[in-house]
Amino acid sequence: MSELDDNQAQRDAIAVDRTKGDFKYEENYAFDAGIGLSAKVVDYISNVKGEDAWINEFRQKALKIFTDLPMPTHWATEDLKNIKFDEIRYYLSKGQKASRTWEEVPDDVKETFERLGIPEAERKFLAGVEAQFDSEAVYSRMKDEMSKLGVIFCGPTEGLRDHPEIFRKWFGKVIPAGDNKFAALNSAVFSGGSFIYIPKGVKVAQPLQAYFRINAENFGQFERTLIIADEGSEVTYMEGCTAPKFETATLHSAVVELVALKGAKIQYITVQNWSANVFNLVTKRGVAEEDAEVRWIDCNIGSRLTMKYPGVVLRGKRARGEVLSIALANDGQHQDTGAKMIHAADETSSNIIAKSISVGAGRSTYRGLVHIPKTLRNCKNNTECDALLINEHSRTDTYPAISVRGQKNSVQHEASVSKVSAEQIFYMMQRGLTEGEAMSLAVNGFVNDLVKEFPMEYSVELKRLIELQMEGSVG
Amino acid sequence: MPDSLVIKNLNASIGDRAILKDFSLTVPKGEVHAIMGPNGTGKSTLAKVLAGHPDYSVQSGEAFIDGEQIIGQEPDAIARAGLFLAFQYPSEIPGVTIANFIRAALVARQAKGAPFDAKAYYAELYAKMDTLKMDRKFTSRFVNEGFSGGEKKRCEILQLMMLKPKYAVLDETDSGLDIDALRIVSEGVNRLRGPDMGFLVITHYQRLLEYIVPDRVHIMYDGRIVHSGDKDLAIELEAKGYDWVKKDLASA
Ligand SMILES: Nc1ncnc2c1ncn2[C@@H]1O[C@H](COP(=O)(O)OP(=O)(O)OP(=O)(O)O)[C@@H](O)[C@H]1O
Ligand SMILES: [Mg+2]
């Protein structure tokens, strides 16, 4: 093969690599729901999982809702129409895995792993070579420690089977199947994800990480997570990792429900770096009872389209809700993110800080919803959304819907759009930084105060990730 | 000339406006040259063209740092080749602390992946700040954000002291400085003077040149040097003003 062919082959490999077609599936219908969505597919999933009848009913109802609901293109982007629901595999069981060999993984991907410092053991998993990330040891150690405290940490299938008395009460209640079209889709075909219960008064010191629970099912696109923090308990949960994961599918639609009972605290941290062909349509919501706190830290990088508006329903007196989010949209990407705060009790407070970065022809949209009815007193909201544009082709839109009634409530809203100017870049380059380094320094500066809120290892990774994104964005 | 900043017949413009017109000047390493000249004659333009600013286009001419051609190179390559520009109007970089900024600039000069000695770095940074009588709190402030005019200029000199270029162009570093600050900043520059560094000091006021005594003084007018002399030329200029230069030119 000539060098030219070689280069072409490599380019092709990279070009198709991140689409599902490039992965080989073993043809084994015993473990495969096939392509497309139907009542039969939903039954199949329930069967394979050995689910109770009520769950199958829940799924089937959700499927009907999904089919009936229109695509929300009256407010969201038309690009949603390009999702080909008939071509998607909705379920792959454990015996069935997408695979390719390490040799087939493009060099630039291997290099990215190298540069991000991804441990050897995890690279093969992330590259889609292995469907199982071999972290059993770490996971089981964590599981042992947790079960001593009475903490339940498992997947939804096990959770609903082994602890129905705990999970059934809340499952699908914070986010009902009918909440939106994609929540309905997830409710119909969910598999993988985490179910967590923290008993009364237990304060889990170490963050729980989904990372250790990654398995064949999580390659799947329809994760379902429910976390219940009982009275006075505290937990931090971290999802995702900064490495580019090689998705086998282009549609990801997760549902995450959080329940913080009286005086409990839940902090949910997401750092995701999607490949550029992925639709990432996620519904996340938490309920905070009296004196409870729900905090979302959400960091979205990449994807073709991300739609995600983490929310908190402040249901008890003095409940607090917070969303801190960072979104980075590169060329050809659209980050449509935001936050929802529904105040439903007196003296509740909420805080939203959203920062978006648009690079090249990237586009970011902020959608906020803050609702304080006039019957409530002494509620507070602070909303701050800042957009950074890297050049003149990038775009940002802000839709802050704030409905606050009543005399005794206060809101504060600030929005800013800034640009990294050519003069700033020149100034930094005059000090010896390359254009890419200058841009990533400016971007890191822009998100700096938010990143401080992140756990240490995440903030370091995030910084490196931003550097890689910026380097890639300059010619 | 190997050990000099050499500018030869430089013609540069912005848009379709010619600003530098056959500009030539040589600053040997170890010397301090001052450029004075009326507003709008192209002093800052010269500084930016040398630093590779993308807004200006160079029609012809050359510039060398110790024999290395810099015209046509990217700004960062020119900086790393050894040219430092203390800006007349320094940019603000929100969210980036001075300590991190200077550190990034130093790391950019190292071999890729080489370890960075953070302890030595902070020791040096604090020592230089002491020289410039800058409060240590400044290290955690964001580059130039909310700085007073004088603080910005001091911060430029701090960067100069940390980056130790081969040649430094100081564009009106004295403007905005109070009397004490002028003395402190000048002392900082004087400490850097030596056989390894050359300076091109752009100023409107003779007062600065009492502190930083130049080896040569050049008068720039309409895009080129029209007069050169020793430090007394600055004193003469202060007394006579620029009309004298203009008349001189008209009669020539
Ligand atoms: N970006 C620009 N666009 C248009 N004209 C410019 C631009 N930059 C400089 N000029 C013009 O070029 C000429 C030279 O400007 P320059 O800033 O180099 O002058 P200077 O000698 O530094 O003046 P001063 O003493 O006021 O600092 C001025 O007439 C100025 O208006
Ligand atoms: Mg000027």
Side-chain angles (χ1 to χ4, degrees):
Chain A
M1 205 154 72
S2 76
E3 198 181 20
L4 203 79
D5 290 339
D6 223 87
N7 285 341
Q8 186 57 45
Q10 198 184 7
R11 258 200 306 279
D12 287 348
I14 296 165
V16 279
D17 214 320
R18 288 181 154 204
T19 72
K20 77 174 208 213
D22 192 47
F23 284 83
K24 300 186 280 280
Y25 291 90
E26 293 160 42
E27 292 299 316
N28 182 347
Y29 292 102
F31 295 104
D32 187 349
I35 292 168
L37 187 56
S38 65
K40 242 180 79 190
V41 167
V42 168
D43 280 340
Y44 173 87
I45 295 171
S46 277
N47 266 332
V48 170
K49 293 180 167 294
E51 289 175 343
D52 285 351
W54 75 268
I55 304 173
N56 180 256
E57 246 167 68
F58 175 88
R59 287 182 184 275
Q60 291 294 0
K61 257 190 219 157
L63 176 66
K64 182 147 189 336
I65 296 170
F66 169 73
T67 318
D68 291 348
L69 281 175
M71 209 39 113
T73 44
H74 57 287
W75 60 270
T77 168
E78 294 277 323
D79 196 21
L80 286 172
K81 289 186 178 154
N82 295 316
I83 303 172
K84 299 191 175 68
F85 291 99
D86 293 341
E87 294 176 12
I88 289 171
R89 259 167 218 274
Y90 288 88
Y91 183 73
L92 285 171
S93 81
K94 283 194 182 112
Q96 250 275 321
K97 54 195 177 215
S99 69
R100 63 174 165 193
T101 66
W102 182 246
E103 284 66 42
E104 288 172 279
V105 177
D107 287 344
D108 68 331
V109 172
K110 291 177 181 165
E111 202 190 308
T112 304
F113 289 151
E114 192 70 46
R115 297 190 56 185
L116 281 170
I118 305 295
E120 211 63 60
E122 294 161 38
R123 293 183 191 184
K124 287 190 172 160
F125 169 77
L126 292 165
V129 174
E130 281 167 13
Q132 189 86 31
F133 166 42
D134 192 13
S135 63
E136 271 316 306
V138 190
Y139 176 44
S140 58
R141 200 180 332 119
M142 174 149 78
K143 226 171 140 181
D144 282 352
E145 275 171 37
M146 288 303 122
S147 58
K148 269 184 227 147
L149 297 169
V151 170
I152 300 169
F153 183 19
C154 59
T157 305
E158 302 82 67
L160 290 171
R161 187 187 58 214
D162 304 339
H163 310 280
E165 73 290 351
I166 296 174
F167 291 115
R168 193 171 172 178
K169 183 173 171 199
W170 291 102
F171 179 74
K173 299 293 177 4
V174 184
I175 302 171
D179 188 80
N180 65 74
K181 192 168 174 76
F182 295 98
L185 177 63
N186 175 284
S187 299
V189 297
F190 70 89
S191 63
S194 296
F195 265 36
I196 295 172
Y197 170 76
I198 315 290
K200 272 186 194 169
V202 170
K203 295 184 177 157
V204 183
Q206 283 296 99
L208 298 181
Q209 296 199 39
Y211 204 38
F212 295 125
R213 292 204 58 263
I214 294 174
N215 56 38
E217 278 197 332
N218 290 59
F219 247 128
Q221 320 110 59
F222 305 106
E223 291 176 32
R224 182 103 196 178
T225 290
L226 171 58
I227 300 176
I228 298 162
D230 212 329
E231 292 180 12
S233 68
E234 288 178 20
V235 65
T236 293
Y237 182 83
M238 307 212 277
E239 142 187 272
C241 62
T242 52
K245 212 173 121 189
F246 280 75
E247 291 79 21
T248 49
T250 51
L251 174 62
H252 287 249
S253 195
V255 164
V256 179
E257 298 173 289
L258 307 182
V259 179
L261 297 176
K262 191 174 170 184
K265 279 187 188 172
I266 303 178
Q267 176 165 253
Y268 192 103
I269 303 169
T270 305
V271 176
Q272 276 169 337
N273 175 17
W274 297 103
S275 50
N277 60 329
V278 165
F279 286 91
N280 181 36
L281 313 166
V282 176
T283 312
K284 289 182 165 173
R285 194 172 305 144
V287 166
E289 300 285 359
E290 198 173 302
D291 292 310
E293 182 179 303
V294 170
R295 190 176 200 221
W296 299 98
I297 296 182
D298 209 69
C299 196
N300 304 291
I301 291 174
S303 83
R304 171 171 172 171
L305 172 68
T306 287
M307 288 173 66
K308 186 187 319 189
Y309 323 96
V312 184
V313 181
L314 302 152
R315 222 164 63 163
K317 251 192 173 178
R318 293 176 300 275
R320 293 176 306 278
E322 188 163 41
V323 173
L324 307 178
S325 78
I326 294 174
L328 193 153
N330 227 316
D331 262 341
Q333 302 175 350
H334 185 177
Q335 296 282 358
D336 194 324
T337 58
K340 291 180 184 175
M341 291 294 174
I342 311 297
H343 290 249
D346 289 343
E347 294 170 55
T348 48
S349 59
S350 59
N351 184 35
I352 300 169
I353 304 178
K355 301 214 177 208
S356 70
I357 302 129
S358 311
V359 187
R363 180 176 168 194
S364 60
T365 305
Y366 171 82
R367 289 178 211 274
L369 176 72
V370 176
H371 179 67
I372 306 178
K374 75 163 176 260
T375 48
L376 299 185
R377 352 179 67 206
N378 300 327
C379 296
K380 272 188 231 150
N381 166 262
N382 174 58
T383 298
E384 209 180 303
C385 42
D386 301 317
L388 183 71
L389 302 175
I390 301 286
N391 66 21
E392 61 273 20
H393 304 296
S394 38
R395 170 174 169 189
T396 184
D397 308 286
T398 303
Y399 306 99
I402 298 181
S403 61
V404 178
R405 310 262 143 70
Q407 304 286 311
K408 305 266 177 179
N409 300 313
S410 80
V411 276
Q412 208 178 345
H413 179 246
E414 274 176 52
S416 77
V417 177
S418 48
K419 253 190 185 172
V420 177
S421 71
E423 279 314 309
Q424 283 172 316
I425 296 293
F426 176 69
Y427 183 77
M428 290 187 268
M429 289 177 80
Q430 210 303 302
R431 299 305 184 238
L433 306 183
T434 63
E435 192 181 358
E437 287 165 348
M439 280 201 206
S440 64
L441 202 61
V443 171
N444 273 309
F446 174 71
V447 298
N448 187 39
D449 51 340
L450 258 196
V451 172
K452 278 196 208 124
E453 301 289 329
F454 287 43
M456 185 63 181
E457 68 265 37
Y458 270 69
S459 59
V460 172
E461 276 186 58
L462 191 65
K463 196 171 157 263
R464 259 191 304 197
L465 189 61
I466 288 174
E467 275 160 22
L468 281 177
Q469 291 279 327
M470 291 299 114
E471 268 174 46
S473 74
V474 298
Chain B
M1 262 178 282
D3 268 349
S4 300
L5 167 65
V6 177
I7 306 159
K8 265 196 210 155
N9 305 105
L10 202 54
N11 285 283
S13 60
I14 185 144
D16 47 15
R17 230 190 113 185
I19 297 174
L20 297 185
K21 299 168 184 171
D22 244 7
F23 185 98
S24 295
L25 179 68
T26 295
V27 181
K29 202 175 262 176
E31 293 190 7
V32 173
H33 286 216
I35 292 188
M36 304 180 82
N39 296 130
T41 48
K43 302 181 296 299
S44 294
T45 301
L46 171 69
K48 286 186 189 165
V49 168
L50 290 177
H53 196 292
D55 284 358
Y56 300 87
S57 53
V58 174
Q59 281 73 44
S60 62
E62 299 167 303
F64 301 91
I65 284 181
D66 296 352
E68 184 184 348
Q69 169 79 264
I70 54 169
I71 298 298
Q73 289 205 53
E74 290 297 313
D76 56 319
I78 297 169
R80 292 193 301 268
L83 185 86
F84 180 93
L85 169 58
F87 286 72
Q88 183 174 3
Y89 304 109
S91 290
E92 298 181 0
I93 321 287
V96 179
T97 62
I98 292 181
N100 281 340
F101 184 56
I102 297 176
R103 183 190 174 128
L106 285 168
V107 169
R109 283 163 173 75
Q110 290 187 336
K112 243 195 162 82
F116 184 81
D117 187 345
K119 219 177 129 193
Y121 164 68
Y122 275 100
E124 189 183 353
L125 183 66
Y126 288 148
K128 301 273 150 81
M129 290 177 79
D130 290 346
T131 318
L132 291 171
K133 300 221 163 36
M134 287 174 83
D135 195 313
R136 293 206 176 160
K137 280 191 213 115
F138 265 89
T139 53
S140 56
R141 282 188 60 181
F142 301 142
V143 179
N144 295 320
E145 199 181 51
F147 284 24
S148 74
E151 286 166 348
K152 283 185 185 170
K153 295 302 171 72
R154 244 188 250 219
C155 180
E156 292 291 285
I157 300 305
L158 176 65
Q159 294 174 51
L160 167 65
M161 293 172 98
M162 291 299 291
L163 298 179
K164 304 180 198 75
K166 293 179 182 149
Y167 297 93
V169 179
L170 312 187
D171 192 357
E172 292 195 28
T173 298
D174 52 339
S175 70
L177 291 179
D178 64 41
I179 298 160
D180 289 341
L182 182 68
R183 193 174 38 77
I184 292 160
V185 164
S186 302
E187 272 168 21
V189 171
N190 284 333
R191 276 182 195 226
L192 287 173
R193 279 180 86 157
D196 298 328
M197 214 185 279
F199 289 86
L200 192 55
V201 178
I202 297 169
T203 183
H204 285 298
Y205 304 106
Q206 201 270 331
R207 200 183 52 208
L208 174 73
L209 304 180
E210 280 170 14
Y211 291 108
I212 305 174
V213 181
D215 297 294
R216 303 283 294 162
V217 174
H218 308 277
I219 297 171
M220 185 167 176
Y221 185 73
D222 193 22
R224 60 188 180 276
I225 303 293
V226 294
H227 259 288
S228 296
D230 61 12
K231 62 181 176 11
D232 295 336
L233 181 58
I235 299 167
E236 196 181 342
L237 196 63
E238 185 100 342
K240 294 185 180 170
Y242 287 113
D243 277 350
W244 152 71
V245 178
K246 291 178 200 164
K247 260 183 236 145
D248 225 43
L249 270 180
S251 63

